[in-house]
């Protein structure tokens, strides 16, 4: 979550996005404020990457038309 109201308007090519849960269609369940979905719509060509633990991956999450899916979800292998 951003710590100030300053807005960066330069180029960005990759984002690491937090989330509570993700599904196998690369949808993301966030924290409910919609910040990342609103922000990411302005960077449609940037890579959106999430790092998740295995328990955060669900079969399917509810998704709406304004939700921005991830391009890649990295999940470490279970040992």
């Amino acid at each position: 979550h951003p710590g100030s109201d300053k807005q960066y308007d330069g180029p960005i090519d990759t984002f690491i996005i937090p989330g509570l849960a993700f599904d196998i269609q690369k949808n993301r369940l966030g924290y409910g404020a919609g910040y990342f979905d609103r922000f990411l719509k302005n960077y449609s060509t940037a890579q959106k990457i999430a790092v998740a633990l295995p328990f955060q991956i669900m079969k399917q999450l509810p998704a709406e038309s304004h939700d921005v899916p991830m391009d890649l979800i990295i999940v470490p292998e279970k040992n």
Side-chain angles (χ1 to χ4, degrees):
H1 190 274
S4 74
D5 290 335
K6 287 185 178 182
Q7 186 172 2
Y8 175 76
D9 60 0
I12 299 175
D13 60 1
T14 304
F15 292 98
I16 306 295
I17 306 295
L20 294 174
F22 303 90
D23 68 17
I24 58 177
Q25 293 82 27
K26 299 181 185 166
N27 293 309
R28 171 186 164 273
L29 178 65
Y31 298 93
Y35 172 80
F36 285 101
D37 292 317
R38 288 191 305 274
F39 184 78
L40 291 172
K41 72 179 180 180
N42 297 317
Y43 294 93
S44 60
T45 61
Q47 286 287 317
K48 293 161 286 300
I49 301 171
V51 179
L53 295 172
F55 71 85
Q56 291 177 283
I57 305 299
M58 306 292 149
K59 186 175 181 179
Q60 186 174 11
L61 292 172
E64 298 181 20
S65 61
H66 64 271
D67 292 335
V68 177
M70 301 293 97
D71 295 309
L72 176 66
I73 300 172
I74 299 170
V75 181
E77 290 184 25
K78 294 180 183 180
N79 289 334

